[in-house]
């Protein structure tokens, strides 16, 4: 592996949902929850808004919304965030986010089905 291919390999692993890479990303963010002063639900709703604002990749939604669901964030609350921020970030950015969220969860469902088939 060349020095130039290492970052590309890492990015490909993240984009494909490589668990060790994703676990590292989650670990990097754990301190920010404790330091934020927000409760778990508020924290993940704010992060959702930030992901939309920066036009994040589907894998970012997959990681954050999975943790948000574990924290008790409902789909209605996530939709409320999208509605609340749409005047600020624009409808195109919100539509892009909605598509990426659907792709992220489609990927998760497909991976889960593949795992069940292997059993």
């Amino acid at each position: 592996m060349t020095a130039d291919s290492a970052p590309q390999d890492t990015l490909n692993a993240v984009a494909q949902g490589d668990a060790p890479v994703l676990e590292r990303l989650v670990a990097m963010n754990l301190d920010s929850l404790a330091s934020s002063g927000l409760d778990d639900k508020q924290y993940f709703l704010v992060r959702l808004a930030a992901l939309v604002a920066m036009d994040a990749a589907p894998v970012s939604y997959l990681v954050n919304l999975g943790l948000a669901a574990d924290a008790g964030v409902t789909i209605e609350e996530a939709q409320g965030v999208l509605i609340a921020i749409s005047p600020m970030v624009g409808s195109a950015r919100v539509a892009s986010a909605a598509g990426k969220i659907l792709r992220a969860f489609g990927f998760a469902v497909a991976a889960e089905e593949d795992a069940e088939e292997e059993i």
Side-chain angles (χ1 to χ4, degrees):
M1 175 183 313
T2 67
D4 291 334
S5 67
Q8 185 64 36
D9 292 341
T10 300
L11 291 174
N12 286 336
V14 170
Q16 295 176 13
D18 187 8
V21 174
L22 295 178
E23 289 169 6
R24 175 66 66 144
L25 292 173
V26 170
M28 287 175 14
N29 290 288
L30 288 178
D31 288 338
S32 66
L33 171 58
S35 299
S36 73
L38 301 172
D39 68 36
D40 290 0
K41 288 177 79 169
Q42 292 171 332
Y43 176 81
F44 286 110
L45 291 171
V46 168
R47 287 176 68 95
L48 171 60
L51 291 173
V52 174
M54 57 190 283
D55 200 23
V59 70
S60 297
Y61 289 101
L62 181 63
V63 170
N64 283 281
L65 291 177
L67 293 169
D70 291 345
V73 173
T74 66
I75 190 70
E76 292 81 14
E77 290 168 324
Q79 289 172 341
V81 167
L82 296 178
I83 292 166
I85 66 170
S86 64
M88 300 302 294
V89 300
S91 59
R93 185 70 46 107
V94 171
S96 174
K100 290 175 180 179
I101 291 166
L102 291 174
R103 282 196 300 278
F105 281 101
F107 173 78
V109 168
E112 199 171 287
E113 288 172 353
D114 288 346
E116 289 176 2
E117 287 177 8
E118 291 177 6
I119 295 177

